[in-house]
Protein backbone atom coordinates (compact mmCIF):
# COMPACT_ATOMS: atom_id res chain seq x y z
CA UNK A 1 0.00 0.00 0.00
CA UNK A 2 1.46 3.37 -0.99
CA UNK A 3 -1.50 5.68 -0.32
CA UNK A 4 -4.80 5.79 1.54
CA UNK A 5 -7.50 8.40 0.97
CA UNK A 6 -10.79 8.99 2.82
CA UNK A 7 -13.67 10.62 0.95
CA UNK A 8 -14.57 14.15 2.10
CA UNK A 9 -18.20 13.24 1.39
CA UNK A 10 -18.45 9.98 3.36
CA UNK A 11 -15.81 8.74 5.82
CA UNK A 12 -16.93 5.15 5.15
CA UNK A 13 -15.64 5.48 1.59
CA UNK A 14 -11.89 4.73 1.58
CA UNK A 15 -9.50 4.27 -1.37
CA UNK A 16 -6.17 2.43 -1.20
CA UNK A 17 -3.57 2.35 -3.96
CA UNK A 18 -0.61 0.01 -4.13
CA UNK A 19 2.75 -0.52 -5.75
CA UNK A 20 1.75 -4.09 -6.68
CA UNK A 21 -1.90 -3.93 -5.64
CA UNK A 22 -3.78 -1.88 -8.18
CA UNK A 23 -6.56 -0.22 -6.20
CA UNK A 24 -8.87 -1.24 -3.39
CA UNK A 25 -12.07 0.44 -2.26
CA UNK A 26 -14.07 0.14 0.93
CA UNK A 27 -17.56 1.46 1.58
CA UNK A 28 -17.68 0.50 5.27
CA UNK A 29 -14.73 2.40 6.68
CA UNK A 30 -12.13 -0.22 5.84
CA UNK A 31 -13.83 -3.28 7.35
CA UNK A 32 -14.12 -4.97 3.94
CA UNK A 33 -12.51 -4.22 0.56
CA UNK A 34 -13.14 -4.73 -3.15
CA UNK A 35 -10.48 -4.65 -5.88
CA UNK A 36 -10.72 -2.05 -8.62
CA UNK A 37 -11.24 -3.39 -12.17
CA UNK A 38 -10.25 -2.08 -15.59
CA UNK A 39 -6.66 -1.05 -14.83
CA UNK A 40 -3.95 -1.60 -17.44
CA UNK A 41 -1.28 -1.67 -14.75
CA UNK A 42 -1.19 -2.63 -11.08
CA UNK A 43 1.31 0.03 -9.94
CA UNK A 44 -0.74 2.97 -8.71
CA UNK A 45 -0.06 6.27 -6.94
CA UNK A 46 -2.44 8.60 -5.07
CA UNK A 47 -6.22 8.96 -5.38
CA UNK A 48 -8.19 12.21 -5.59
CA UNK A 49 -11.93 12.48 -4.99
CA UNK A 50 -14.03 14.98 -6.91
CA UNK A 51 -14.93 18.02 -4.78
CA UNK A 52 -18.68 17.74 -5.46
CA UNK A 53 -19.45 14.49 -7.35
CA UNK A 54 -19.33 11.91 -4.59
CA UNK A 55 -18.68 8.85 -6.77
CA UNK A 56 -16.04 10.35 -9.09
CA UNK A 57 -12.49 9.36 -8.20
CA UNK A 58 -9.18 9.88 -10.02
CA UNK A 59 -5.85 8.23 -9.41
CA UNK A 60 -2.36 8.54 -10.76
CA UNK A 61 -0.49 5.45 -11.89
CA UNK A 62 2.64 4.29 -13.67
CA UNK A 63 0.63 4.41 -16.89
CA UNK A 64 -1.13 7.76 -16.52
CA UNK A 65 -4.35 9.01 -14.91
CA UNK A 66 -7.47 6.91 -14.38
CA UNK A 67 -11.08 7.93 -13.68
CA UNK A 68 -13.83 6.07 -11.83
CA UNK A 69 -17.47 7.14 -11.65
CA UNK A 70 -18.58 4.39 -9.25
CA UNK A 71 -16.38 5.22 -6.29
CA UNK A 72 -13.38 3.17 -7.39
CA UNK A 73 -14.95 -0.16 -8.40
CA UNK A 74 -14.17 0.24 -12.11
CA UNK A 75 -11.64 2.50 -13.85
CA UNK A 76 -11.18 4.14 -17.26
CA UNK A 77 -7.84 5.24 -18.72
CA UNK A 78 -7.67 9.02 -19.35
CA UNK A 79 -4.35 9.97 -20.97
CA UNK A 80 -5.33 11.57 -24.29
CA UNK A 81 -2.66 14.13 -25.21
CA UNK A 82 0.03 12.37 -23.17
CA UNK A 83 2.73 10.14 -24.71
CA UNK A 84 1.50 6.85 -26.14
CA UNK A 85 1.99 3.68 -24.06
CA UNK A 86 5.00 1.48 -24.83
CA UNK A 87 5.49 -2.23 -24.27
CA UNK A 88 8.90 -2.07 -22.59
CA UNK A 89 8.82 1.01 -20.37
CA UNK A 90 6.52 3.44 -18.61
CA UNK A 91 5.99 6.57 -20.71
CA UNK A 92 3.76 8.62 -18.41
CA UNK A 93 3.92 8.15 -14.68
CA UNK A 94 1.40 10.34 -12.82
CA UNK A 95 1.64 10.76 -9.06
CA UNK A 96 -1.31 13.08 -8.44
CA UNK A 97 -4.35 14.60 -10.14
CA UNK A 98 -5.83 17.84 -8.75
CA UNK A 99 -9.05 19.75 -9.41
CA UNK A 100 -8.90 23.54 -9.68
CA UNK A 101 -10.99 24.65 -6.67
CA UNK A 102 -12.39 27.57 -8.69
CA UNK A 103 -13.25 25.52 -11.80
CA UNK A 104 -13.78 21.78 -11.37
CA UNK A 105 -13.57 21.19 -15.14
CA UNK A 106 -9.95 22.35 -15.02
CA UNK A 107 -7.47 19.79 -13.68
CA UNK A 108 -3.74 19.40 -13.17
CA UNK A 109 -1.68 16.20 -13.29
CA UNK A 110 1.89 15.79 -12.04
CA UNK A 111 4.50 13.37 -13.40
CA UNK A 112 6.44 11.49 -10.76
CA UNK A 113 6.41 8.69 -8.24
CA UNK A 114 6.34 8.96 -4.46
CA UNK A 115 7.70 5.40 -4.52
CA UNK A 116 10.76 6.75 -6.39
CA UNK A 117 10.25 4.34 -9.26
CA UNK A 118 12.99 5.14 -11.76
CA UNK A 119 11.89 3.30 -14.90
CA UNK A 120 9.92 6.11 -16.49
CA UNK A 121 10.33 8.97 -18.92
CA UNK A 122 8.72 12.38 -18.64
CA UNK A 123 9.25 12.98 -14.92
CA UNK A 124 8.65 16.53 -13.73
CA UNK A 125 5.94 17.32 -16.27
CA UNK A 126 2.93 19.41 -15.22
CA UNK A 127 -0.21 18.72 -17.29
CA UNK A 128 -3.43 20.70 -17.65
CA UNK A 129 -6.92 19.63 -18.68
CA UNK A 130 -9.73 22.11 -19.34
CA UNK A 131 -12.38 19.52 -20.19
CA UNK A 132 -12.64 17.48 -17.01
CA UNK A 133 -9.71 15.20 -17.79
CA UNK A 134 -10.81 14.08 -21.25
CA UNK A 135 -7.64 15.51 -22.81
CA UNK A 136 -4.35 16.91 -21.51
CA UNK A 137 -1.74 19.48 -22.58
CA UNK A 138 1.73 19.85 -21.11
CA UNK A 139 2.39 23.19 -19.39
CA UNK A 140 6.10 22.62 -18.75
CA UNK A 141 8.58 20.84 -16.52
CA UNK A 142 9.93 21.02 -12.98
CA UNK A 143 13.70 20.44 -13.14
CA UNK A 144 16.48 20.57 -10.56
CA UNK A 145 17.35 23.99 -12.03
CA UNK A 146 13.80 25.31 -11.67
CA UNK A 147 10.69 25.66 -13.86
CA UNK A 148 10.81 25.63 -17.65
CA UNK A 149 8.07 25.70 -20.27
CA UNK A 150 10.16 23.32 -22.39
CA UNK A 151 9.52 19.61 -22.80
CA UNK A 152 12.60 18.12 -21.14
CA UNK A 153 13.36 15.37 -18.65
CA UNK A 154 12.72 16.77 -15.18
CA UNK A 155 12.68 16.02 -11.48
CA UNK A 156 10.55 13.38 -9.81
CA UNK A 157 7.39 15.02 -8.41
CA UNK A 158 6.37 13.19 -5.23
CA UNK A 159 3.61 15.42 -3.83
CA UNK A 160 1.15 18.06 -5.09
CA UNK A 161 -1.73 19.88 -3.40
CA UNK A 162 -3.76 23.09 -3.35
CA UNK A 163 -3.11 25.42 -0.44
CA UNK A 164 -5.72 27.23 1.61
CA UNK A 165 -7.21 30.43 0.26
CA UNK A 166 -5.62 33.42 2.11
CA UNK A 167 -7.97 34.92 4.68
CA UNK A 168 -7.47 38.53 3.56
CA UNK A 169 -8.20 37.74 -0.09
CA UNK A 170 -5.36 39.93 -1.34
CA UNK A 171 -3.30 37.01 -2.65
CA UNK A 172 -4.38 34.18 -4.96
CA UNK A 173 -4.77 30.63 -3.74
CA UNK A 174 -1.54 28.75 -4.35
CA UNK A 175 -0.88 25.25 -5.63
CA UNK A 176 2.21 23.46 -4.34
CA UNK A 177 4.43 20.54 -5.27
CA UNK A 178 7.57 18.80 -3.99
CA UNK A 179 10.11 17.17 -6.30
CA UNK A 180 13.16 15.09 -5.41
CA UNK A 181 16.46 17.02 -5.60
CA UNK A 182 14.53 20.09 -6.73
CA UNK A 183 12.61 21.13 -3.61
CA UNK A 184 9.31 22.82 -2.84
CA UNK A 185 7.62 24.83 -5.61
CA UNK A 186 4.53 27.05 -5.57
CA UNK A 187 2.37 28.56 -8.30
CA UNK A 188 0.37 31.79 -8.06
CA UNK A 189 -1.39 31.34 -11.41
CA UNK A 190 -3.07 27.98 -11.01
CA UNK A 191 -0.10 25.85 -12.01
CA UNK A 192 0.80 27.58 -15.28
CA UNK A 193 4.17 28.77 -13.94
CA UNK A 194 6.16 27.80 -10.84
CA UNK A 195 8.76 29.25 -8.49
CA UNK A 196 11.05 27.44 -6.08
CA UNK A 197 10.41 28.15 -2.39
CA UNK A 198 13.23 28.95 -0.01
CA UNK A 199 13.16 27.20 3.38
CA UNK A 200 15.13 29.41 5.82
CA UNK A 201 16.05 27.64 9.04
CA UNK A 202 15.42 24.15 7.68
CA UNK A 203 18.23 21.60 7.63
CA UNK A 204 18.10 18.86 5.00
CA UNK A 205 16.36 18.15 1.70
CA UNK A 206 12.57 18.55 1.63
CA UNK A 207 10.77 15.24 1.11
CA UNK A 208 7.18 16.35 1.69
CA UNK A 209 5.06 19.40 2.63
CA UNK A 210 1.61 19.39 4.26
CA UNK A 211 -0.71 22.41 4.39
CA UNK A 212 -2.74 23.56 7.39
CA UNK A 213 -6.46 22.93 6.68
CA UNK A 214 -7.53 26.54 7.32
CA UNK A 215 -4.47 28.81 7.80
CA UNK A 216 -2.60 29.65 4.57
CA UNK A 217 0.52 30.66 6.55
CA UNK A 218 1.10 27.29 8.24
CA UNK A 219 2.87 24.30 6.70
CA UNK A 220 4.65 21.22 8.02
CA UNK A 221 7.61 19.84 6.07
CA UNK A 222 9.47 16.56 6.28
CA UNK A 223 13.17 16.29 5.43
CA UNK A 224 15.07 13.24 4.24
CA UNK A 225 17.81 11.48 6.13
CA UNK A 226 21.11 13.36 6.08
CA UNK A 227 24.71 12.58 5.28
CA UNK A 228 26.70 9.83 6.99
CA UNK A 229 28.79 10.88 9.95
CA UNK A 230 32.21 9.67 11.00
CA UNK A 231 30.59 6.55 12.42
CA UNK A 232 29.21 5.66 9.00
CA UNK A 233 25.61 6.20 10.06
CA UNK A 234 23.00 8.49 8.50
CA UNK A 235 21.45 11.32 10.46
CA UNK A 236 17.66 10.96 10.90
CA UNK A 237 15.04 12.83 8.95
CA UNK A 238 13.11 15.67 10.59
CA UNK A 239 9.80 17.50 10.84
CA UNK A 240 9.70 21.30 10.44
CA UNK A 241 6.98 23.93 10.73
CA UNK A 242 6.43 27.42 9.39
CA UNK A 243 3.76 29.78 10.72
CA UNK A 244 4.66 32.71 8.47
CA UNK A 245 4.07 31.32 5.00
CA UNK A 246 7.53 29.81 4.66
CA UNK A 247 9.63 32.80 5.63
CA UNK A 248 11.14 30.84 8.53
CA UNK A 249 11.10 27.20 9.66
CA UNK A 250 11.74 25.65 13.06
CA UNK A 251 12.08 22.03 14.24
CA UNK A 252 8.77 20.37 15.04
CA UNK A 253 9.49 16.82 16.21
CA UNK A 254 10.14 17.14 19.95
CA UNK A 255 9.53 13.86 21.75
CA UNK A 256 9.96 11.57 18.74
CA UNK A 257 12.67 9.00 19.36
CA UNK A 258 15.09 9.00 16.42
CA UNK A 259 17.68 6.45 15.44
CA UNK A 260 20.78 6.70 13.25
CA UNK A 261 21.55 3.82 10.92
CA UNK A 262 23.88 2.61 8.24
CA UNK A 263 21.16 2.88 5.58
CA UNK A 264 17.84 4.65 5.03
CA UNK A 265 15.76 1.60 5.99
CA UNK A 266 17.43 1.47 9.40
CA UNK A 267 17.40 5.22 10.02
CA UNK A 268 14.39 7.13 11.39
CA UNK A 269 12.62 8.99 8.60
CA UNK A 270 9.12 10.16 7.74
CA UNK A 271 6.98 10.11 4.60
CA UNK A 272 4.61 12.98 5.42
CA UNK A 273 2.62 14.58 8.22
CA UNK A 274 -1.14 14.01 8.29
CA UNK A 275 -3.26 16.82 9.79
CA UNK A 276 -6.90 16.65 10.85
CA UNK A 277 -9.34 18.98 9.09
CA UNK A 278 -11.67 18.64 12.09
CA UNK A 279 -8.98 19.58 14.63
CA UNK A 280 -5.93 21.32 13.16
CA UNK A 281 -3.94 20.70 16.33
CA UNK A 282 -4.10 16.94 15.79
CA UNK A 283 -1.25 15.56 13.72
CA UNK A 284 -0.13 12.03 12.90
CA UNK A 285 3.17 10.74 11.53
CA UNK A 286 4.78 7.34 11.13
CA UNK A 287 8.46 6.62 11.67
CA UNK A 288 9.33 4.39 8.77
CA UNK A 289 12.55 2.84 10.09
CA UNK A 290 12.45 -0.96 9.91
CA UNK A 291 14.32 -1.20 13.21
CA UNK A 292 12.10 1.11 15.25
CA UNK A 293 8.79 1.82 13.47
CA UNK A 294 5.94 3.55 15.21
CA UNK A 295 2.98 5.91 14.91
CA UNK A 296 3.19 9.25 16.67
CA UNK A 297 0.47 11.76 17.57
CA UNK A 298 0.52 15.44 18.43
CA UNK A 299 -2.34 17.45 19.94
CA UNK A 300 -0.61 20.84 19.85
CA UNK A 301 0.19 21.30 16.18
CA UNK A 302 3.50 19.46 16.39
CA UNK A 303 5.15 21.20 19.34
CA UNK A 304 5.23 17.87 21.19
CA UNK A 305 4.60 14.26 20.16
CA UNK A 306 3.71 11.04 21.93
CA UNK A 307 4.11 7.48 20.65
CA UNK A 308 0.65 6.07 19.96
CA UNK A 309 1.72 2.64 18.71
CA UNK A 310 4.97 0.80 18.30
CA UNK A 311 5.70 -1.08 15.12
CA UNK A 312 5.11 -4.37 16.91
CA UNK A 313 1.53 -3.31 17.63
CA UNK A 314 0.76 -2.72 13.93
CA UNK A 315 0.69 -5.90 11.80
CA UNK A 316 2.90 -5.60 8.72
CA UNK A 317 4.04 -8.06 6.10
CA UNK A 318 7.24 -9.93 6.92
CA UNK A 319 10.10 -7.78 8.14
CA UNK A 320 8.98 -4.56 6.47
CA UNK A 321 8.23 -1.47 8.52
CA UNK A 322 5.33 0.96 8.29
CA UNK A 323 4.94 2.65 4.92
CA UNK A 324 4.45 6.05 6.53
CA UNK A 325 1.45 6.88 4.36
CA UNK A 326 -1.32 8.16 6.63
CA UNK A 327 -4.51 10.20 6.33
CA UNK A 328 -7.17 11.46 8.74
CA UNK A 329 -10.92 11.19 8.25
CA UNK A 330 -12.09 14.71 7.33
CA UNK A 331 -14.77 14.88 10.03
CA UNK A 332 -13.23 12.82 12.83
CA UNK A 333 -9.75 13.55 14.17
CA UNK A 334 -9.61 10.15 15.93
CA UNK A 335 -9.83 8.14 12.68
Amino acid sequence: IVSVQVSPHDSRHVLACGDMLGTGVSFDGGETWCPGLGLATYEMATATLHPSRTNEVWTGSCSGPYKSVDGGLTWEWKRKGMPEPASNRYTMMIEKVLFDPDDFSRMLAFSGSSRRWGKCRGLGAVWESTDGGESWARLGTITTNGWTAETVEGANIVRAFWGVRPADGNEPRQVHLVADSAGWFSSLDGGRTWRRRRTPGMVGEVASVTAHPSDSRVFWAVTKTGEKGADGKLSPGGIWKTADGGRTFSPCDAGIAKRRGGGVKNTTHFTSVAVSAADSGRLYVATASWTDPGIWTSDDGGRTWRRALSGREVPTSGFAGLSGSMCVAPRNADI
Side-chain angles (χ1 to χ4, degrees):
I1 307 295
V2 297
S3 67
V4 179
Q5 189 69 37
V6 181
S7 170
H9 312 293
D10 181 356
S11 60
R12 297 169 298 177
H13 184 192
V14 188
L15 276 296
C17 297
D19 181 45
M20 298 286 284
L21 166 80
T23 63
V25 60
S26 174
F27 297 101
D28 56 12
E31 295 299 321
T32 59
W33 293 84
C34 300
L37 304 178
L39 299 166
T41 180
Y42 46 73
E43 292 166 330
M44 313 310 291
T46 308
T48 302
L49 289 105
H50 193 282
S52 61
R53 294 197 283 268
T54 58
N55 288 323
E56 182 173 326
V57 186
W58 287 74
T59 185
S61 80
C62 285
S63 56
Y66 283 88
K67 176 184 179 181
S68 173
V69 294
D70 55 14
L73 290 170
T74 59
W75 297 90
E76 183 180 2
W77 218 352
K78 294 290 184 179
R79 59 180 285 169
K80 182 180 179 180
M82 295 180 177
E84 290 297 317
S87 60
N88 61 345
R89 68 181 185 276
Y90 292 123
T91 59
M92 188 39 54
M93 187 176 292
I94 297 295
E95 172 62 29
K96 186 69 175 180
V97 176
L98 296 178
F99 291 93
D100 187 325
D102 296 320
D103 179 3
F104 297 161
S105 65
R106 180 176 183 268
M107 302 167 67
L108 298 172
F110 300 85
S111 296
S113 166
S114 61
R115 301 168 321 287
R116 276 82 182 180
W117 185 275
K119 300 178 181 179
C120 181
R121 295 181 179 179
L123 294 177
V126 178
W127 298 85
E128 178 189 44
S129 174
T130 57
D131 56 8
E134 293 301 314
S135 62
W136 299 89
R138 187 167 178 162
L139 296 173
T141 312
I142 298 292
T143 74
T144 55
N145 294 323
W147 166 253
T148 177
E150 298 180 1
T151 299
V152 296
E153 289 298 314
N156 180 35
I157 299 174
V158 297
R159 189 170 178 85
F161 60 93
W162 279 93
V164 179
R165 192 180 306 279
D168 58 14
N170 293 327
E171 295 183 7
R173 187 169 183 167
Q174 298 186 46
V175 58
H176 305 269
L177 66 82
V178 178
D180 285 339
S181 302
W184 174 20
F185 286 74
S186 297
S187 174
L188 294 170
D189 56 8
R192 297 175 180 88
T193 61
W194 296 81
R195 64 181 179 89
R196 197 194 315 265
R197 301 287 296 262
R198 298 178 63 241
T199 53
M202 187 186 298
V203 178
E205 180 184 343
V206 177
S208 175
V209 176
T210 300
H212 191 282
S214 59
D215 190 335
S216 63
R217 301 165 299 176
V218 178
F219 297 88
W220 293 270
V222 165
T223 52
K224 297 181 179 181
T225 56
E227 299 293 329
K228 288 187 177 181
D231 59 358
K233 294 184 177 181
L234 296 172
S235 58
I239 304 173
W240 304 79
K241 182 178 180 179
T242 177
D244 54 15
R247 294 181 179 86
T248 58
F249 282 83
S250 57
C252 188
D253 51 21
I256 297 180
K258 294 185 181 183
R259 177 173 296 185
R260 295 165 59 88
V264 173
K265 293 177 181 179
N266 295 319
T267 303
T268 300
H269 62 283
F270 314 95
T271 300
S272 63
V273 173
V275 57
S276 166
D279 176 3
S280 59
R282 178 72 64 82
L283 306 180
Y284 295 92
V285 75
T287 48
S289 166
W290 287 13
T291 54
D292 187 27
I295 294 176
W296 300 77
T297 305
S298 174
D299 289 308
D300 54 15
R303 285 192 295 272
T304 59
W305 295 83
R306 68 181 188 279
R307 188 191 288 268
L309 290 169
S310 71
R312 288 182 291 274
E313 295 174 285
V314 183
T316 59
S317 176
F319 55 83
L322 300 170
S323 73
S325 179
M326 302 184 69
C327 66
V328 189
R331 301 173 187 174
N332 190 333
D334 290 336
I335 299 177

